[in-house]
Amino acid sequence: MTTLSSFPNPNPNPNPIFHPDQSQTLDFDSAMPPQPQSPPPHHSPESPSTPPQLLQLSFNQDHACFAAAMDNGFRIFNCDPFRELFRREFDGGGIGHVEMLFRCNILALVGGGSHPQYPQTKVMIWDDHQGRCIGELSFRTVVHGVRLRRDRIIVIVEQKIFVYNFADLKLLQQIETIANPKGLCEVSQGSDSLVVACPGLHKGQIRVEHYAMKKTRFISAHDSRIACFALTLDGLLIATASTKGTLVRIFNTDNGTLLQEVRRGANVAEIFSVAFSSTAQWLAVSSDKGTVHVFGLKVTSSVPEHEKPQSSSNSDAAINPSNSPLSFIKFKGVLPKYFNSEWSVAQFHLQEGSHYTVAFGLQKNTVVILGMDGSFYRCQFDPEHGGEMIQLEHHNFLKPETVL
């Protein structure tokens, strides 16, 4: 058995940064049959001729850290200040997906790469204090994604989503979806409510499960297929983008009302990620056009009860709900439709064609950008004047010199 303290650490404290989350005690060993000992991870020097391949990137729930899934293991980084916290490397075994649970010692792993460390049909529950897997969930098909919160594990396969209780791995619900190869699914993180959003059974449709209210809401968000979406922390707002990639729409998840629409651009693009700020005041969007946009939102997570659901258009052309209090342009039939949607306040330009994931930083008016080329950017935008963001720092987290 390998423990966290057995790995090289420049700080004499065996676990100075990646602290266990004391708000919940997870006892998987009592709920699971005995698990075979996982091959011990190790920290080995990288060969310059065969650098490890980056397979996936994901932020943790509060965007304070991010995880990198590699073809030889996984690495955990802190965003502000930027530094590598630790890495776990396996003998030739790849990890295709890493999902953190805030900053605690429990992670969810899925095998990946040309030589997966674990079967791609399994979700392995990794305890980094023990340095081994303490539980697993097996499926008949390949796992496309995992989402965690303190009381739930959500697993995404091609056309189904499984919701488990975290403490005992008991299956609570199965949700049928349209084909979902990207593993699209989002979960709220509020302790007083559980909201899960996933693709529906039809093209362009979002399904939202409000567990506290025992209510399911279907939202016809776009004509085209859903490319990505994001929930606010409380799960009351959802931002959606289609494969057309010109518009992002913000809906109330309780009643399905279209609240606001923002425009990334006039040309078709692949939107990689959308993200709310913690206060839902801002929305960030990244795409293959190489520009990260920040939009100002006029909505909040609480919508007055007297506002009734409005039928949202299925068209991916710009729309402006006539009954919405957010309507601000009413030149019907005069101006082109793209004038009816709102454009970004601030932008940051990157290499076009590269895959970037965006989130808001812990400091006010900052954005963190992760690239599949190993790039890390932290930028700041001016909320009043907008324009080009200021780059605060840039690193390549795949280079050995970034390891602390």
Side-chain angles (χ1 to χ4, degrees):
M1 179 185 301
T2 307
T3 62
L4 184 62
S5 59
S6 67
F7 292 92
N9 194 324
N11 193 311
N13 185 341
N15 192 17
I17 302 170
F18 199 61
H19 298 293
D21 190 336
Q22 301 296 337
S23 63
Q24 182 184 43
T25 300
L26 303 176
D27 184 13
F28 290 97
D29 285 329
S30 62
M32 296 291 295
Q35 300 294 319
Q37 182 74 24
S38 301
H42 65 279
H43 189 120
S44 59
E46 298 173 1
S47 170
S49 59
T50 57
Q53 180 184 0
L54 180 61
L55 301 180
Q56 179 253 358
L57 289 169
S58 63
F59 286 97
N60 73 338
Q61 289 77 2
D62 61 6
H63 304 154
C65 302
F66 70 93
M70 317 287 294
D71 64 356
N72 67 339
F74 65 91
R75 304 177 187 182
I76 304 296
F77 297 84
N78 194 71
C79 291
D80 187 11
F82 171 80
R83 59 173 167 176
E84 180 175 319
L85 299 180
F86 67 90
R87 64 176 65 183
R88 301 293 176 254
E89 297 180 356
F90 304 97
D91 288 321
I95 300 296
H97 187 98
V98 181
E99 185 73 6
M100 299 178 66
L101 179 59
F102 291 95
R103 299 175 73 93
C104 83
N105 53 295
I106 302 296
L107 301 95
L109 307 179
V110 180
S114 56
H115 302 286
Q117 174 68 14
Y118 307 107
Q120 294 174 290
T121 56
K122 290 186 177 183
V123 175
M124 311 301 294
I125 310 301
W126 175 271
D127 183 347
D128 204 71
H129 283 173
Q130 300 185 44
R132 67 182 184 97
C133 292
I134 57 174
E136 65 179 53
L137 297 168
S138 299
F139 303 89
R140 296 179 179 178
T141 58
V142 171
V143 174
H144 291 312
V146 185
R147 301 291 183 268
L148 298 180
R149 51 178 274 152
R150 289 187 172 95
D151 56 355
R152 296 291 185 270
I153 301 176
I154 293 94
V155 180
I156 306 100
V157 298
E158 181 69 23
Q159 290 184 296
K160 191 172 288 189
I161 288 175
F162 299 87
V163 181
Y164 293 89
N165 188 48
F166 210 147
D168 56 9
L169 303 186
K170 179 182 178 181
L171 179 63
L172 301 178
Q173 186 182 16
Q174 299 182 44
I175 303 174
E176 301 284 344
T177 71
I178 196 171
N180 186 14
K182 290 185 177 181
L184 300 178
C185 182
E186 295 297 331
V187 58
S188 68
Q189 296 298 329
S191 58
D192 55 344
S193 65
L194 170 59
V195 180
V196 174
C198 62
L201 289 171
H202 305 288
K203 182 176 64 174
Q205 184 185 68
I206 297 288
R207 173 173 178 163
V208 183
E209 294 287 335
H210 288 270
Y211 288 89
M213 296 182 285
K214 298 182 179 180
K215 181 171 64 175
T216 301
R217 171 68 61 183
F218 291 94
I219 301 173
S220 296
H222 302 272
D223 265 350
S224 306
R225 288 185 177 272
I226 300 296
C228 63
F229 52 86
L231 280 175
T232 50
L233 290 175
D234 57 14
L236 295 183
L237 296 179
I238 187 169
T240 68
S242 75
T243 52
K244 190 174 180 181
T246 54
L247 299 171
V248 179
R249 291 174 177 156
I250 296 90
F251 296 89
N252 179 301
T253 62
D254 180 28
N255 55 30
T257 303
L258 174 63
L259 300 176
Q260 191 173 350
E261 181 176 79
V262 298
R263 177 170 288 276
R264 181 214 53 81
N267 299 322
V268 174
E270 181 181 1
I271 293 184
F272 294 132
S273 68
V274 293
F276 285 98
S277 64
S278 59
T279 59
Q281 182 181 2
W282 307 100
L283 183 78
V285 178
S286 65
S287 74
D288 63 349
K289 295 301 182 182
T291 303
V292 170
H293 295 269
V294 172
F295 301 88
L297 299 184
K298 300 177 180 179
V299 298
T300 62
S301 292
S302 57
V303 176
E305 293 181 358
H306 67 271
E307 289 189 11
K308 297 181 180 180
Q310 302 166 12
S311 58
S312 60
S313 167
N314 287 339
S315 172
D316 281 330
I319 60 178
N320 195 25
S322 59
N323 296 328
S324 172
L326 300 171
S327 300
F328 66 101
I329 294 181
K330 297 185 181 297
F331 301 107
K332 295 182 180 179
V334 178
L335 296 175
K337 286 186 177 181
Y338 61 76
F339 281 112
N340 287 6
S341 50
E342 301 170 54
W343 296 76
S344 61
V345 173
Q347 308 81 33
F348 187 73
H349 292 87
L350 299 155
Q351 181 179 349
E352 186 172 347
S354 297
H355 192 295
Y356 295 99
T357 302
V358 64
F360 285 90
L362 298 181
Q363 295 187 32
K364 191 174 182 180
N365 303 328
T366 59
V367 171
V368 176
I369 306 166
L370 308 178
M372 286 299 291
D373 57 357
S375 57
F376 172 95
Y377 295 90
R378 195 167 62 88
C379 311
Q380 188 171 45
F381 62 93
D382 187 329
E384 294 184 5
H385 301 96
E388 186 72 12
M389 294 187 230
I390 299 173
Q391 179 179 307
L392 300 178
E393 59 180 320
H394 170 248
H395 307 277
N396 187 326
F397 56 82
L398 294 180
K399 291 184 178 180
E401 54 264 30
T402 65
V403 179
L404 301 179

